[in-house]
Amino acid sequence: MTSKIGNRPGLIFGIESSCDETACAVVAGGREVLSNVVASQADLHARFGGVVPEIAGRAHLEAINPVIAQALDEADIAPTDVAAVAVANRPGLIGSLLVGLMAAKTLAWVWRVPLIGVNHIHAHAWAPALDDEPIEYPAGALIASGGHTSLYLCRSPNELELLGATIDDAAGEAFDKVAAILKLGYPGGPAIDQAARNGQADAIKFPRSLLKGQSLDFSFSGIKTAVLYHVNGVPGAIRDGVEKGIEHPHGADGLTEKEISDIAAGFQAAVVDVMRTKIKRAVNFARQDRDTDVRTLIVGGGVAANSALRQAVAELGKKLDLDVRIPAMEYCTDNAAMVAGLACNLLSSGKIDDLELSATATVRR
Ligand code: KG4
Ligand code: ZN
């Protein structure tokens, strides 16, 4: 392999395997993406309607070596060019995280460079800077995907304060489950987004779970159940004192295309409404209670692809005088470039790890 670049201090090799994507990337100086390879397992999990952890772990094992090789090759660098190896070591599926972590430790040891453990969700908040302008801080960030829904106040790329998070399902998970109820396929987000275009958002008013007071946490399990009952009926419902059993036993098969579109649109509108409200609360909280003049709004994670959410945050950005930063689609969904990019900031702040680094499935930070 020939090296075009030579040894560069900010050249990071990143690995991401927290869920169902095996990904490796090479990023220079935190923002310049030299390669970004993602091997998706979506097809393997589609028939189960969600990610099966055991299957994900095994698929990572098969994919990791070829993906490492491809990322080096596409970046046209030699291992001796790399300044550090970064890996998303939290949060995620533990079996999946461990595959990436072991690979990263091996590379760091063989290449004799520092190892940097990266919080996967924090890395999502760095993604808008990839192949783009630097992010202006302080920033608010909403990171919403199949595995997480979190609101942060970011004082810098690696000083993030968690302001709120989902207390049950992630937003993307709710999209996936509602799509499964409507028999729209997996992953559900794009399918709901598409179906909602032909629907009437106010035809069915699904509940908005805003939680108590000024809570910045989210809850999406209630709306998922509301859609389930709307489509399949309430098991054991009693009407006029008579047990009715399941009211609509045919579920989604008994619905017209228009009815499906209306449900998709109503569900999507409710989720976006909640997000809009929470973002507004978070920005006000940061400005008033934290005395921090938030200038930027970062929206990342797979759900940032949602057209209604994009429109809502664009409008909100204008209203609250915020520069809205949504990453390019390839950097919205899980990827290793965001991991390598954030690691460049960690490296320059001296935040490196050693080969004792462990993986953590759940973190509330
Ligand atoms: O970030 P990501 O690729 O992986 C996780 O860490 O989960 O996000 C995937 C999630 C899935 O739940 C998918 O349904 C959702 O993002 N998603 C969307 C859209 N595109 C993907 N949700 C809503 N609208 C979309 N257009
Ligand atoms: Zn993610």
Side-chain angles (χ1 to χ4, degrees), residues 188-266:
I192 298 265
D193 200 342
Q194 186 56 38
R197 283 169 214 263
N198 308 317
Q200 218 181 306
D202 57 0
I204 307 143
K205 177 110 175 147
F206 287 113
R208 273 87 170 139
S209 180
L210 295 171
L211 304 170
K212 281 200 189 112
Q214 286 301 302
S215 171
L216 294 170
D217 285 333
F218 296 90
S219 167
F220 294 110
S221 71
I223 186 169
K224 176 191 69 187
T225 309
V227 174
L228 181 72
Y229 286 176
H230 183 85
V231 174
N232 291 350
V234 183
I238 295 173
R239 200 177 313 127
D240 301 330
V242 179
E243 163 93 51
K244 300 305 263 187
I246 294 176
E247 284 189 82
H248 310 288
H250 301 300
D253 291 336
L255 299 172
T256 64
E257 213 170 296
K258 172 80 173 90
E259 284 169 325
I260 293 206
S261 294
D262 284 347
I263 295 168

Side-chain angles (χ1 to χ4, degrees), residues 58 163 188 290 298 332:
R58 285 169 208 223
L163 300 180
R290 288 285 186 270
I298 296 164
C332 265

Side-chain angles (χ1 to χ4, degrees), residues 120 124 145 148 334:
H120 169 92
H124 271 298
S145 73
H148 24 262
D334 285 352

